[in-house]
Amino acid sequence: MSEEKNGLGSIRIADDVVRIIAGMAAAEVPGVVGMSSGVVGGIAEKLGRKNLSKGVKVEVGEKEAAVDIFIVVEYGSSIPEVAAKIQDAVKGAVEKMTGLTVVEINVNVQGVAFANELNEEDNRVK
């Protein structure tokens, strides 16, 4: 948890807040279709509001943060390009919203999703 003191008191930012900000920023990058639990062979989940922090691990200090993101990319996407866009998006969002300096963003690609897999999941009865 990050804590900052000013003349009026203190401001505390929980690790979960940084995790959600990073997850939302990563989810907006084209080519990202899901987040993974971070374990190879683990179950990847489609992006949704309830699991925005799934697949995101953070270390938050008083003034700095490090982020690890575990994703599934869409087949045909350039993995280095998607990863670089995730790093830029996450760094910008976390620094803007929290005031923390992001010192490291590690993007771990855990899988590739094919178009027919994505369509099959959308058609399932829920």
Side-chain angles (χ1 to χ4, degrees):
M1 181 174 295
S2 169
E3 184 173 347
E4 182 180 317
K5 295 187 185 223
N6 61 25
L8 298 174
S10 63
I11 301 168
R12 294 188 186 123
I13 302 171
D15 292 3
D16 282 344
V17 171
V18 177
R19 198 174 292 121
I20 290 170
I21 293 168
M24 289 180 72
E28 293 174 357
V29 173
V32 176
V33 295
M35 305 297 271
S36 177
S37 63
V39 178
V40 175
I43 297 174
E45 291 190 14
K46 287 176 60 176
L47 297 171
R49 286 203 181 277
K50 64 184 175 184
N51 61 357
L52 286 172
S53 64
K54 183 171 184 70
V56 181
K57 295 179 182 173
V58 297
E59 291 180 38
V60 181
E62 289 183 26
K63 297 184 187 260
E64 297 178 335
V67 181
D68 291 310
I69 298 181
F70 299 84
I71 62 164
V72 176
V73 297
E74 182 178 9
Y75 178 78
S77 298
S78 168
I79 292 173
E81 203 173 287
V82 170
K85 287 179 180 178
I86 289 170
Q87 289 172 323
D88 290 341
V90 169
K91 181 175 176 63
V94 171
E95 288 183 349
K96 179 181 178 186
M97 293 182 73
T98 66
L100 296 168
T101 301
V102 178
V103 294
E104 187 174 276
I105 302 168
N106 300 306
V107 178
N108 302 278
V109 180
Q110 298 289 307
V112 176
F114 299 95
N116 60 348
E117 290 175 352
L118 296 174
N119 292 335
E120 286 175 12
E121 289 181 18
D122 289 340
N123 293 332
R124 288 188 180 166
V125 176
K126 296 180 182 171

